[in-house]
Amino acid sequence: MKFFIDTANLDDIREANDLGILDGVTTNPSLMAKEGITGEQNILDHYMKICAIVDGPVSAEVISTDYEGIVREGEALASMHKNIVVKVPMILEGIKAIKHFSTKGIKTNCTLVFSAGQALLAAKAGATYISPFLGRLDDISFSGLDLIAQIKGVYNNYPFDTEILAASVRHPMHIIHCAEIGADVATCPLKAIKALANHPLTTSGLETFLADYAKGNN
Ligand code: E4P
């Protein structure tokens, strides 16, 4: 399973990249705003800073909701850097645009996916990735992981190239369950990625090893 980091925070992106396990980055307008990045040019400049840190797909979201606007914005974003993936909302105008992008060889991430039907439409249109938001489903008492499993089952029936990019990941168990289901990618906050490394027996075992080594070397 590929690991993307879900943030626009450059320090977090650098830290995850330095671990050597980072495959890409996802952003959205809310994550940009959280970092104080506002205004079109500042946002575009920020994508370039992210692309300079990580050599992998970087999702950049369009804000248009009409076909012509999505295409115009998406083509401009894709022309900025070879690693930019155009993030398109799961609306019918977005599906039309994804089809257009796929015929032009422009990579896309269909975002705000909350049902298997939406995932099927996006795959038919040729989306490179679809982003089911599992945490947001959990928040309203629907199982986000059940949705990922359902989409995986549907995609297994057909030769779609679309990758399942589990999004809205909130904690390490989400990541582990996504891997068990066979999601292609999980995009996660840095905290959830780092939490995968934690185990109390590792911590206590290492303390003991180091203490025993110190005894023999005093
Ligand atoms: C990813 O592409 C999404 O933008 C993101 O995972 C949404 O996560 P949230 O539900 O924590 O805002």
Side-chain angles (χ1 to χ4, degrees), residues 36-211:
I37 314 296
T38 55
E40 189 183 350
Q41 195 53 50
N42 289 335
I43 290 172
L44 297 180
D45 290 347
H46 205 71
Y47 289 138
M48 295 310 288
K49 289 180 190 167
I50 295 172
C51 288
I53 299 171
V54 179
D55 185 20
V58 173
S59 286
E61 188 156 342
V62 299
I63 47 148
S64 299
T65 54
D66 63 298
Y67 171 76
E68 288 78 12
I70 295 171
V71 165
R72 192 171 51 247
E73 255 191 86
E75 290 185 351
L77 286 168
S79 71
M80 283 173 49
H81 194 282
K82 67 178 173 49
N83 286 343
I84 292 280
V85 173
V86 181
K87 202 171 180 189
V88 180
M90 177 48 244
I91 52 177
L92 289 174
E93 295 286 294
I95 291 297
K96 268 171 69 179
I98 287 169
K99 180 68 189 181
H100 167 83
F101 291 136
S102 82
T103 56
K104 291 193 77 176
I106 293 174
K107 292 192 171 145
T108 52
N109 174 357
C110 182
T111 189
L112 293 165
V113 168
F114 292 96
S115 76
Q118 293 177 328
L120 186 56
L121 265 184
K124 290 280 295 175
T128 314
Y129 305 97
I130 52 123
S131 288
F133 278 32
L134 61 113
R136 291 194 195 185
L137 278 170
D138 289 355
D139 288 344
I140 59 158
S141 303
F142 284 82
S143 167
L145 290 168
D146 281 356
L147 174 62
I148 307 262
Q150 189 186 17
I151 295 170
K152 180 81 183 167
V154 170
Y155 281 12
N156 279 348
N157 290 336
Y158 304 98
F160 293 133
D161 292 326
T162 304
E163 294 190 31
I164 301 172
L165 193 172
S168 189
V169 165
R170 301 276 160 80
H171 51 72
M173 287 312 293
H174 270 159
I175 303 176
I176 293 162
H177 290 315
C178 283
E180 285 175 335
I181 292 166
D184 301 284
V185 190
T187 189
C188 322
L190 179 62
K191 190 176 160 207
I193 295 174
K194 285 165 75 175
L196 290 172
N198 293 340
H199 197 288
L201 291 179
T202 305
T203 307
S204 61
L206 182 59
E207 278 169 7
T208 305
F209 287 155
L210 295 180

